[in-house]
Amino acid sequence: MSLRTLDELGDPAGARVFVRVDFNVPLEHGEVADDFRIRAALPTLRELLDRDAALVLASHLGRPKGEVVDELRLAPVGDRLSELIERDVQAVSDVVGEEATALCSHLGSGEIALLENLRFDPREETNDPAFAQELSTFADTYVDDAFGAAHRAHASVVALPERFERRAGGRLLQREVEVLSKLLHEPDEPYVAVLGGAKVSDKLGVIDGLIERVDALLIGGAMAFTFLAADGVDVGRSLVEEDRFEDVRRARKLADERGVVLLLPEDVVAAPEASLDAKRETVRVEAIPRPLMGLDIGPRTVEEFARTLADAKTILWNGPMGVFELEPFSAGTRGVAHAIAGTGAFTVAGGGDSLAAIRTFGLEDGFDHLSTGGGASLEFLEGKALPGIEVLER
Ligand code: ADP
Ligand code: MG
């Protein structure tokens, strides 16, 4: 790993540091509903403030598509950050306009400015050099702690850092790169990956990448049904992506050739629909009644997965095993989460929904690393170079 880190920035006292953070958090009724990503940035922000820097913070939030969308303003995020960091946070209502320029030019040591949602400006997502140039006038040093955005070649993570001599990854980004590099290049073996979630198409790239590296791949969630259906199993009304049959057959063949154990569910919890009061049945996977859909892995599958996990030295988990948001279909995800947290393996989890599940179960402490970047961590584990990381390498 050759990431430039905060240790190489020199003394930031008196510097104005542009920190690209990932404050892309869920909002409900105008307030931050989950502040996990804000808390994850605190170590970097505190370290820079303790060393008397002034901070210009910037993030995207949601998908405003280059226009001002009032519901996606960052002010509520600024309020939450201010509570957590116990300092004033001055949220401005524009990105590179007069208000932002005026505030940033007068920012003193220990002060924090928060720019408006970067994606209100269409030039963010096009990696526009003129936009990067305007942003660059706000600071003399650049720090990127937004691992969740590192796979996107956007202005604030690529064109902007290119303009700074003094640039580095923050502590969160550094930890993500260290942990995921270990999984990519030198995992302790056996290395077992557990994949789930809604769509196999979201995760085909990482499936191929993982087959090159893991000893076992355990597949649950809706994506398992595409594997089963491609093999001729009648899975009732379970979610299936028929246009991916060829891809999953190829993945299975690759796993065979590599001697990778690929486990699919043996039993599932099925119901007519994903609702709290739907009548459920636990059935063998070949015996899902026609009008029902598989909404969770069953208890035998949990046991089987847990047996494989018990021997692992490294475990990666991405994607829930079922519709865990609804209690009747959460047992599979809960069981697998407990099985992972209970091993002595080095355990890493990623994916927004998987992390939400881990927090619901109160199992955060059972994991060595909870990755803040869903798409970014998957692309990293696929072995792809991330543009936002490359620009920070020595
Ligand atoms: P992550 O955010 O952890 O990467 P995904 O976004 O890929 O996970 O998938 C999470 C979603 O998959 C959840 O909303 C969950 O309800 C859904 N899901 C999991 N299993 C099933 C299933 N069998 N049928 C329908 N949806 C499922
Ligand atoms: Mg998700």
Side-chain angles (χ1 to χ4, degrees), residues 196-200 202-203 220-225 237-239 268-269 274 293-297 317-326 329 333 350-357 374-375 378:
K199 289 163 84 187
V200 76
D202 288 346
K203 298 183 183 174
M223 72 157 78
F225 298 114
R237 287 177 42 248
S238 307
L239 283 184
V268 295
V269 180
M293 59 202 318
L295 294 168
D296 193 11
I297 58 172
W317 177 30
N318 180 293
M321 298 292 101
V323 184
F324 75 97
E325 298 93 333
L326 300 176
F329 307 105
T333 304
D353 294 293
S354 309
L355 263 51
L378 292 180

mmCIF file of all heavy atoms in Angstrom, residues 196-200 202-203 220-225 237-239 268-269 274 293-297 317-326 329 333 350-357 374-375 378, ligand 1:
data_model
loop_
_atom_site.group_PDB
_atom_site.id
_atom_site.type_symbol
_atom_site.label_atom_id
_atom_site.label_comp_id
_atom_site.label_asym_id
_atom_site.label_seq_id
_atom_site.Cartn_x
_atom_site.Cartn_y
_atom_site.Cartn_z
ATOM 1 N N GLY A 196 -24.939 -11.842 -0.171
ATOM 2 C CA GLY A 196 -26.393 -11.899 -0.227
ATOM 3 C C GLY A 196 -26.901 -10.603 -0.814
ATOM 4 O O GLY A 196 -26.178 -9.911 -1.526
ATOM 5 N N GLY A 197 -28.138 -10.267 -0.486
ATOM 6 C CA GLY A 197 -28.718 -9.038 -1.005
ATOM 7 C C GLY A 197 -29.688 -9.312 -2.121
ATOM 8 O O GLY A 197 -29.970 -10.463 -2.455
ATOM 9 N N ALA A 198 -30.157 -8.239 -2.702
ATOM 10 C CA ALA A 198 -31.280 -8.353 -3.619
ATOM 11 C C ALA A 198 -30.871 -8.839 -5.002
ATOM 12 O O ALA A 198 -31.469 -9.743 -5.552
ATOM 13 C CB ALA A 198 -31.989 -7.006 -3.705
ATOM 14 N N LYS A 199 -29.844 -8.196 -5.569
ATOM 15 C CA LYS A 199 -29.586 -8.440 -6.982
ATOM 16 C C LYS A 199 -28.208 -9.029 -7.242
ATOM 17 O O LYS A 199 -27.193 -8.471 -6.835
ATOM 18 C CB LYS A 199 -29.721 -7.129 -7.760
ATOM 19 C CG LYS A 199 -31.171 -6.671 -7.860
ATOM 20 C CD LYS A 199 -31.280 -5.225 -8.250
ATOM 21 C CE LYS A 199 -31.207 -5.028 -9.755
ATOM 22 N NZ LYS A 199 -31.146 -3.587 -10.080
ATOM 23 N N VAL A 200 -28.190 -10.131 -7.967
ATOM 24 C CA VAL A 200 -26.926 -10.740 -8.321
ATOM 25 C C VAL A 200 -26.171 -9.833 -9.298
ATOM 26 O O VAL A 200 -24.941 -9.767 -9.288
ATOM 27 C CB VAL A 200 -27.136 -12.157 -8.900
ATOM 28 C CG1 VAL A 200 -27.641 -12.129 -10.326
ATOM 29 C CG2 VAL A 200 -25.860 -12.978 -8.823
ATOM 30 N N ASP A 202 -25.757 -6.709 -9.211
ATOM 31 C CA ASP A 202 -24.926 -5.721 -8.501
ATOM 32 C C ASP A 202 -23.574 -6.315 -8.124
ATOM 33 O O ASP A 202 -22.628 -5.587 -7.855
ATOM 34 C CB ASP A 202 -25.572 -5.335 -7.158
ATOM 35 C CG ASP A 202 -26.805 -4.466 -7.336
ATOM 36 O OD1 ASP A 202 -26.993 -3.954 -8.450
ATOM 37 O OD2 ASP A 202 -27.561 -4.318 -6.357
ATOM 38 N N LYS A 203 -23.499 -7.631 -8.023
ATOM 39 C CA LYS A 203 -22.339 -8.227 -7.363
ATOM 40 C C LYS A 203 -21.589 -9.237 -8.216
ATOM 41 O O LYS A 203 -20.694 -9.920 -7.726
ATOM 42 C CB LYS A 203 -22.781 -8.814 -6.016
ATOM 43 C CG LYS A 203 -23.306 -7.682 -5.125
ATOM 44 C CD LYS A 203 -23.732 -8.028 -3.731
ATOM 45 C CE LYS A 203 -24.281 -6.751 -3.064
ATOM 46 N NZ LYS A 203 -24.849 -6.968 -1.745
ATOM 47 N N GLY A 220 -26.468 -16.367 -0.104
ATOM 48 C CA GLY A 220 -27.843 -16.332 0.383
ATOM 49 C C GLY A 220 -28.550 -15.135 -0.229
ATOM 50 O O GLY A 220 -28.111 -14.595 -1.244
ATOM 51 N N GLY A 221 -29.631 -14.685 0.406
ATOM 52 C CA GLY A 221 -30.363 -13.540 -0.125
ATOM 53 C C GLY A 221 -31.070 -13.897 -1.423
ATOM 54 O O GLY A 221 -31.059 -15.052 -1.868
ATOM 55 N N ALA A 222 -31.662 -12.898 -2.046
ATOM 56 C CA ALA A 222 -32.403 -13.156 -3.274
ATOM 57 C C ALA A 222 -31.476 -13.648 -4.375
ATOM 58 O O ALA A 222 -31.873 -14.427 -5.241
ATOM 59 C CB ALA A 222 -33.135 -11.890 -3.715
ATOM 60 N N MET A 223 -30.207 -13.216 -4.342
ATOM 61 C CA MET A 223 -29.311 -13.579 -5.456
ATOM 62 C C MET A 223 -29.118 -15.095 -5.579
ATOM 63 O O MET A 223 -28.834 -15.607 -6.657
ATOM 64 C CB MET A 223 -27.970 -12.864 -5.334
ATOM 65 C CG MET A 223 -27.080 -13.357 -4.240
ATOM 66 S SD MET A 223 -25.363 -12.930 -4.606
ATOM 67 C CE MET A 223 -25.357 -11.218 -4.157
ATOM 68 N N ALA A 224 -29.322 -15.805 -4.473
ATOM 69 C CA ALA A 224 -29.172 -17.259 -4.520
ATOM 70 C C ALA A 224 -30.158 -17.884 -5.500
ATOM 71 O O ALA A 224 -29.872 -18.909 -6.121
ATOM 72 C CB ALA A 224 -29.379 -17.852 -3.117
ATOM 73 N N PHE A 225 -31.331 -17.254 -5.643
ATOM 74 C CA PHE A 225 -32.368 -17.852 -6.502
ATOM 75 C C PHE A 225 -31.986 -17.800 -7.976
ATOM 76 O O PHE A 225 -32.412 -18.650 -8.756
ATOM 77 C CB PHE A 225 -33.724 -17.193 -6.238
ATOM 78 C CG PHE A 225 -34.181 -17.413 -4.821
ATOM 79 C CD1 PHE A 225 -34.294 -16.350 -3.934
ATOM 80 C CD2 PHE A 225 -34.446 -18.693 -4.361
ATOM 81 C CE1 PHE A 225 -34.675 -16.563 -2.618
ATOM 82 C CE2 PHE A 225 -34.838 -18.917 -3.048
ATOM 83 C CZ PHE A 225 -34.947 -17.849 -2.167
ATOM 84 N N ARG A 237 -42.026 -18.015 -6.967
ATOM 85 C CA ARG A 237 -42.024 -16.603 -7.366
ATOM 86 C C ARG A 237 -40.858 -15.827 -6.768
ATOM 87 O O ARG A 237 -40.883 -14.594 -6.697
ATOM 88 C CB ARG A 237 -43.358 -15.960 -7.005
ATOM 89 C CG ARG A 237 -44.512 -16.422 -7.939
ATOM 90 C CD ARG A 237 -45.846 -15.828 -7.535
ATOM 91 N NE ARG A 237 -45.731 -14.428 -7.162
ATOM 92 C CZ ARG A 237 -45.895 -13.940 -5.924
ATOM 93 N NH1 ARG A 237 -46.189 -14.745 -4.948
ATOM 94 N NH2 ARG A 237 -45.779 -12.655 -5.696
ATOM 95 N N SER A 238 -39.823 -16.522 -6.315
ATOM 96 C CA SER A 238 -38.636 -15.846 -5.780
ATOM 97 C C SER A 238 -38.029 -14.930 -6.839
ATOM 98 O O SER A 238 -38.179 -15.161 -8.034
ATOM 99 C CB SER A 238 -37.573 -16.882 -5.391
ATOM 100 O OG SER A 238 -38.110 -17.848 -4.528
ATOM 101 N N LEU A 239 -37.319 -13.906 -6.391
ATOM 102 C CA LEU A 239 -36.665 -12.971 -7.317
ATOM 103 C C LEU A 239 -35.585 -13.686 -8.118
ATOM 104 O O LEU A 239 -34.667 -14.276 -7.553
ATOM 105 C CB LEU A 239 -35.984 -11.839 -6.536
ATOM 106 C CG LEU A 239 -36.844 -10.720 -5.966
ATOM 107 C CD1 LEU A 239 -35.940 -9.669 -5.322
ATOM 108 C CD2 LEU A 239 -37.686 -10.080 -7.062
ATOM 109 N N VAL A 268 -35.419 -22.656 2.731
ATOM 110 C CA VAL A 268 -35.763 -21.235 2.741
ATOM 111 C C VAL A 268 -37.067 -21.009 3.480
ATOM 112 O O VAL A 268 -37.886 -21.920 3.621
ATOM 113 C CB VAL A 268 -35.916 -20.662 1.304
ATOM 114 C CG1 VAL A 268 -34.598 -20.688 0.551
ATOM 115 C CG2 VAL A 268 -36.993 -21.387 0.528
ATOM 116 N N VAL A 269 -37.243 -19.764 3.944
ATOM 117 C CA VAL A 269 -38.527 -19.345 4.490
ATOM 118 C C VAL A 269 -39.274 -18.680 3.336
ATOM 119 O O VAL A 269 -38.781 -17.719 2.742
ATOM 120 C CB VAL A 269 -38.341 -18.354 5.656
ATOM 121 C CG1 VAL A 269 -39.700 -17.917 6.207
ATOM 122 C CG2 VAL A 269 -37.481 -18.979 6.748
ATOM 123 N N ALA A 274 -43.617 -10.268 0.798
ATOM 124 C CA ALA A 274 -42.800 -9.770 1.898
ATOM 125 C C ALA A 274 -43.634 -8.815 2.743
ATOM 126 O O ALA A 274 -43.646 -7.612 2.511
ATOM 127 C CB ALA A 274 -41.561 -9.063 1.346
ATOM 128 N N MET A 293 -42.688 -17.092 -2.560
ATOM 129 C CA MET A 293 -41.328 -16.647 -2.864
ATOM 130 C C MET A 293 -40.417 -16.846 -1.662
ATOM 131 O O MET A 293 -40.856 -16.717 -0.515
ATOM 132 C CB MET A 293 -41.318 -15.180 -3.338
ATOM 133 C CG MET A 293 -41.894 -14.208 -2.343
ATOM 134 S SD MET A 293 -42.457 -12.633 -3.076
ATOM 135 C CE MET A 293 -41.206 -12.244 -4.207
ATOM 136 N N GLY A 294 -39.152 -17.151 -1.933
ATOM 137 C CA GLY A 294 -38.183 -17.325 -0.848
ATOM 138 C C GLY A 294 -37.758 -15.966 -0.329
ATOM 139 O O GLY A 294 -37.309 -15.112 -1.089
ATOM 140 N N LEU A 295 -37.918 -15.757 0.991
ATOM 141 C CA LEU A 295 -37.636 -14.434 1.558
ATOM 142 C C LEU A 295 -36.559 -14.467 2.639
ATOM 143 O O LEU A 295 -36.193 -13.446 3.189
ATOM 144 C CB LEU A 295 -38.935 -13.819 2.094
ATOM 145 C CG LEU A 295 -39.957 -13.501 0.982
ATOM 146 C CD1 LEU A 295 -41.327 -13.180 1.568
ATOM 147 C CD2 LEU A 295 -39.470 -12.354 0.098
ATOM 148 N N ASP A 296 -36.084 -15.669 2.970
ATOM 149 C CA ASP A 296 -34.984 -15.777 3.940
ATOM 150 C C ASP A 296 -34.376 -17.172 3.761
ATOM 151 O O ASP A 296 -35.038 -18.076 3.242
ATOM 152 C CB ASP A 296 -35.516 -15.623 5.369
ATOM 153 C CG ASP A 296 -34.389 -15.403 6.402
ATOM 154 O OD1 ASP A 296 -33.228 -15.158 5.980
ATOM 155 O OD2 ASP A 296 -34.682 -15.470 7.609
ATOM 156 N N ILE A 297 -33.136 -17.347 4.206
ATOM 157 C CA ILE A 297 -32.589 -18.702 4.240
ATOM 158 C C ILE A 297 -33.154 -19.412 5.475
ATOM 159 O O ILE A 297 -33.513 -18.769 6.459
ATOM 160 C CB ILE A 297 -31.036 -18.712 4.255
ATOM 161 C CG1 ILE A 297 -30.463 -17.950 5.449
ATOM 162 C CG2 ILE A 297 -30.487 -18.126 2.945
ATOM 163 C CD1 ILE A 297 -28.951 -18.095 5.612
ATOM 164 N N TRP A 317 -18.274 -10.360 4.640
ATOM 165 C CA TRP A 317 -19.730 -10.475 4.480
ATOM 166 C C TRP A 317 -20.283 -9.248 3.798
ATOM 167 O O TRP A 317 -20.016 -8.129 4.229
ATOM 168 C CB TRP A 317 -20.406 -10.654 5.848
ATOM 169 C CG TRP A 317 -21.914 -10.713 5.739
ATOM 170 C CD1 TRP A 317 -22.629 -11.186 4.689
ATOM 171 C CD2 TRP A 317 -22.867 -10.254 6.713
ATOM 172 N NE1 TRP A 317 -23.975 -11.067 4.938
ATOM 173 C CE2 TRP A 317 -24.153 -10.503 6.167
ATOM 174 C CE3 TRP A 317 -22.758 -9.686 7.969
ATOM 175 C CZ2 TRP A 317 -25.313 -10.180 6.853
ATOM 176 C CZ3 TRP A 317 -23.913 -9.373 8.651
ATOM 177 C CH2 TRP A 317 -25.175 -9.626 8.107
ATOM 178 N N ASN A 318 -21.033 -9.460 2.720
ATOM 179 C CA ASN A 318 -21.723 -8.367 2.048
ATOM 180 C C ASN A 318 -23.095 -8.842 1.560
ATOM 181 O O ASN A 318 -23.174 -9.736 0.723
ATOM 182 C CB ASN A 318 -20.894 -7.854 0.857
ATOM 183 C CG ASN A 318 -21.589 -6.712 0.137
ATOM 184 O OD1 ASN A 318 -22.624 -6.894 -0.470
ATOM 185 N ND2 ASN A 318 -21.016 -5.536 0.230
ATOM 186 N N GLY A 319 -24.135 -8.266 2.095
ATOM 187 C CA GLY A 319 -25.495 -8.542 1.615
ATOM 188 C C GLY A 319 -26.283 -9.421 2.568
ATOM 189 O O GLY A 319 -25.842 -10.519 2.927
ATOM 190 N N PRO A 320 -27.478 -8.966 2.975
ATOM 191 C CA PRO A 320 -28.329 -9.725 3.891
ATOM 192 C C PRO A 320 -28.807 -11.054 3.301
ATOM 193 O O PRO A 320 -28.915 -11.196 2.082
ATOM 194 C CB PRO A 320 -29.519 -8.807 4.143
ATOM 195 C CG PRO A 320 -29.148 -7.471 3.623
ATOM 196 C CD PRO A 320 -28.050 -7.653 2.647
ATOM 197 N N MET A 321 -29.098 -12.006 4.172
ATOM 198 C CA MET A 321 -29.527 -13.354 3.760
ATOM 199 C C MET A 321 -31.009 -13.424 3.410
ATOM 200 O O MET A 321 -31.481 -14.425 2.859
ATOM 201 C CB MET A 321 -29.244 -14.351 4.895
ATOM 202 C CG MET A 321 -27.777 -14.502 5.259
ATOM 203 S SD MET A 321 -26.839 -15.303 3.928
ATOM 204 C CE MET A 321 -26.061 -13.893 3.167
ATOM 205 N N GLY A 322 -31.748 -12.384 3.795
ATOM 206 C CA GLY A 322 -33.178 -12.356 3.522
ATOM 207 C C GLY A 322 -33.708 -10.957 3.717
ATOM 208 O O GLY A 322 -32.931 -10.001 3.879
ATOM 209 N N VAL A 323 -35.029 -10.822 3.728
ATOM 210 C CA VAL A 323 -35.646 -9.512 3.931
ATOM 211 C C VAL A 323 -35.617 -9.215 5.435
ATOM 212 O O VAL A 323 -36.631 -9.266 6.125
ATOM 213 C CB VAL A 323 -37.078 -9.487 3.349
ATOM 214 C CG1 VAL A 323 -37.700 -8.101 3.478
ATOM 215 C CG2 VAL A 323 -37.061 -9.901 1.880
ATOM 216 N N PHE A 324 -34.416 -8.911 5.923
ATOM 217 C CA PHE A 324 -34.190 -8.784 7.374
ATOM 218 C C PHE A 324 -34.947 -7.602 7.972
ATOM 219 O O PHE A 324 -35.144 -7.542 9.176
ATOM 220 C CB PHE A 324 -32.691 -8.626 7.658
ATOM 221 C CG PHE A 324 -32.196 -7.252 7.307
ATOM 222 C CD1 PHE A 324 -32.076 -6.266 8.288
ATOM 223 C CD2 PHE A 324 -31.904 -6.918 5.999
ATOM 224 C CE1 PHE A 324 -31.655 -4.979 7.960
ATOM 225 C CE2 PHE A 324 -31.497 -5.637 5.668
ATOM 226 C CZ PHE A 324 -31.375 -4.674 6.646
ATOM 227 N N GLU A 325 -35.357 -6.658 7.104
ATOM 228 C CA GLU A 325 -36.086 -5.477 7.597
ATOM 229 C C GLU A 325 -37.403 -5.899 8.241
ATOM 230 O O GLU A 325 -37.952 -5.178 9.080
ATOM 231 C CB GLU A 325 -36.401 -4.507 6.454
ATOM 232 C CG GLU A 325 -35.182 -3.918 5.739
ATOM 233 C CD GLU A 325 -34.767 -4.720 4.498
ATOM 234 O OE1 GLU A 325 -35.046 -5.949 4.447
ATOM 235 O OE2 GLU A 325 -34.149 -4.136 3.601
ATOM 236 N N LEU A 326 -37.937 -7.049 7.829
ATOM 237 C CA LEU A 326 -39.183 -7.565 8.400
ATOM 238 C C LEU A 326 -38.825 -8.716 9.333
ATOM 239 O O LEU A 326 -38.220 -9.698 8.909
ATOM 240 C CB LEU A 326 -40.111 -8.059 7.288
ATOM 241 C CG LEU A 326 -40.524 -7.002 6.249
ATOM 242 C CD1 LEU A 326 -41.361 -7.633 5.141
ATOM 243 C CD2 LEU A 326 -41.295 -5.860 6.911
ATOM 244 N N PHE A 329 -38.662 -12.462 8.572
ATOM 245 C CA PHE A 329 -37.688 -12.949 7.586
ATOM 246 C C PHE A 329 -36.263 -12.531 7.948
ATOM 247 O O PHE A 329 -35.393 -12.396 7.086
ATOM 248 C CB PHE A 329 -38.061 -12.426 6.187
ATOM 249 C CG PHE A 329 -39.487 -12.735 5.815
ATOM 250 C CD1 PHE A 329 -40.458 -11.733 5.830
ATOM 251 C CD2 PHE A 329 -39.869 -14.043 5.510
ATOM 252 C CE1 PHE A 329 -41.782 -12.022 5.522
ATOM 253 C CE2 PHE A 329 -41.198 -14.337 5.197
ATOM 254 C CZ PHE A 329 -42.156 -13.324 5.211
ATOM 255 N N THR A 333 -30.437 -13.841 8.445
ATOM 256 C CA THR A 333 -29.406 -12.795 8.513
ATOM 257 C C THR A 333 -28.847 -12.697 9.931
ATOM 258 O O THR A 333 -27.633 -12.612 10.134
ATOM 259 C CB THR A 333 -30.009 -11.435 8.076
ATOM 260 O OG1 THR A 333 -30.579 -11.583 6.770
ATOM 261 C CG2 THR A 333 -28.950 -10.348 8.056
ATOM 262 N N GLY A 350 -19.454 -5.233 4.769
ATOM 263 C CA GLY A 350 -19.686 -4.031 3.974
ATOM 264 C C GLY A 350 -21.077 -4.059 3.391
ATOM 265 O O GLY A 350 -21.752 -5.098 3.408
ATOM 266 N N GLY A 351 -21.509 -2.903 2.871
ATOM 267 C CA GLY A 351 -22.858 -2.807 2.298
ATOM 268 C C GLY A 351 -23.780 -2.093 3.270
ATOM 269 O O GLY A 351 -23.828 -2.458 4.453
ATOM 270 N N GLY A 352 -24.488 -1.097 2.773
ATOM 271 C CA GLY A 352 -25.344 -0.278 3.641
ATOM 272 C C GLY A 352 -26.359 -1.096 4.410
ATOM 273 O O GLY A 352 -26.532 -0.915 5.620
ATOM 274 N N ASP A 353 -27.030 -2.018 3.718
ATOM 275 C CA ASP A 353 -28.073 -2.793 4.389
ATOM 276 C C ASP A 353 -27.490 -3.814 5.356
ATOM 277 O O ASP A 353 -28.042 -4.047 6.428
ATOM 278 C CB ASP A 353 -28.961 -3.483 3.344
ATOM 279 C CG ASP A 353 -29.736 -2.467 2.529
ATOM 280 O OD1 ASP A 353 -30.607 -1.802 3.105
ATOM 281 O OD2 ASP A 353 -29.444 -2.310 1.336
ATOM 282 N N SER A 354 -26.360 -4.413 4.982
ATOM 283 C CA SER A 354 -25.724 -5.382 5.885
ATOM 284 C C SER A 354 -25.295 -4.694 7.182
ATOM 285 O O SER A 354 -25.455 -5.241 8.279
ATOM 286 C CB SER A 354 -24.499 -6.013 5.215
ATOM 287 O OG SER A 354 -24.845 -6.502 3.958
ATOM 288 N N LEU A 355 -24.746 -3.485 7.049
ATOM 289 C CA LEU A 355 -24.321 -2.755 8.245
ATOM 290 C C LEU A 355 -25.522 -2.362 9.101
ATOM 291 O O LEU A 355 -25.455 -2.413 10.339
ATOM 292 C CB LEU A 355 -23.502 -1.515 7.853
ATOM 293 C CG LEU A 355 -21.988 -1.706 7.902
ATOM 294 C CD1 LEU A 355 -21.517 -2.929 7.151
ATOM 295 C CD2 LEU A 355 -21.258 -0.478 7.423
ATOM 296 N N ALA A 356 -26.612 -1.985 8.441
ATOM 297 C CA ALA A 356 -27.839 -1.659 9.191
ATOM 298 C C ALA A 356 -28.289 -2.889 9.976
ATOM 299 O O ALA A 356 -28.684 -2.783 11.142
ATOM 300 C CB ALA A 356 -28.924 -1.190 8.235
ATOM 301 N N ALA A 357 -28.202 -4.066 9.338
ATOM 302 C CA ALA A 357 -28.599 -5.300 10.023
ATOM 303 C C ALA A 357 -27.701 -5.542 11.243
ATOM 304 O O ALA A 357 -28.188 -5.839 12.339
ATOM 305 C CB ALA A 357 -28.527 -6.485 9.058
ATOM 306 N N GLY A 374 -20.002 0.868 0.266
ATOM 307 C CA GLY A 374 -20.603 -0.319 -0.333
ATOM 308 C C GLY A 374 -19.978 -0.607 -1.687
ATOM 309 O O GLY A 374 -19.172 -1.528 -1.837
ATOM 310 N N GLY A 375 -20.321 0.208 -2.678
ATOM 311 C CA GLY A 375 -19.809 0.024 -4.036
ATOM 312 C C GLY A 375 -18.296 0.107 -4.096
ATOM 313 O O GLY A 375 -17.642 -0.678 -4.790
ATOM 314 N N LEU A 378 -16.665 -3.090 -2.803
ATOM 315 C CA LEU A 378 -16.810 -4.199 -3.746
ATOM 316 C C LEU A 378 -15.843 -4.055 -4.922
ATOM 317 O O LEU A 378 -15.191 -5.017 -5.330
ATOM 318 C CB LEU A 378 -18.253 -4.303 -4.254
ATOM 319 C CG LEU A 378 -19.293 -4.731 -3.205
ATOM 320 C CD1 LEU A 378 -20.679 -4.790 -3.825
ATOM 321 C CD2 LEU A 378 -18.934 -6.083 -2.594
HETATM 322 P P1 ADP B 1 -26.089 -4.241 0.936
HETATM 323 O O1 ADP B 1 -26.673 -2.854 1.033
HETATM 324 O O2 ADP B 1 -25.696 -4.788 2.264
HETATM 325 O O3 ADP B 1 -25.016 -4.338 -0.099
HETATM 326 P P2 ADP B 1 -28.105 -5.073 -0.940
HETATM 327 O O4 ADP B 1 -28.483 -3.649 -1.157
HETATM 328 O O5 ADP B 1 -27.411 -5.801 -2.021
HETATM 329 O O6 ADP B 1 -27.267 -5.211 0.423
HETATM 330 O O7 ADP B 1 -29.417 -5.923 -0.623
HETATM 331 C C1 ADP B 1 -30.208 -5.643 0.494
HETATM 332 C C2 ADP B 1 -31.662 -5.918 0.228
HETATM 333 O O8 ADP B 1 -31.859 -7.249 -0.246
HETATM 334 C C3 ADP B 1 -32.495 -5.794 1.467
HETATM 335 O O9 ADP B 1 -33.384 -4.711 1.320
HETATM 336 C C4 ADP B 1 -33.233 -7.119 1.577
HETATM 337 O O10 ADP B 1 -34.583 -6.969 1.962
HETATM 338 C C5 ADP B 1 -33.131 -7.652 0.173
HETATM 339 N N1 ADP B 1 -33.260 -9.122 0.128
HETATM 340 C C6 ADP B 1 -32.466 -10.034 0.693
HETATM 341 N N2 ADP B 1 -32.927 -11.269 0.485
HETATM 342 C C7 ADP B 1 -34.048 -11.152 -0.257
HETATM 343 C C8 ADP B 1 -34.991 -12.079 -0.803
HETATM 344 N N3 ADP B 1 -34.861 -13.383 -0.624
HETATM 345 N N4 ADP B 1 -36.037 -11.566 -1.510
HETATM 346 C C9 ADP B 1 -36.161 -10.254 -1.684
HETATM 347 N N5 ADP B 1 -35.313 -9.333 -1.200
HETATM 348 C C10 ADP B 1 -34.271 -9.768 -0.486
#
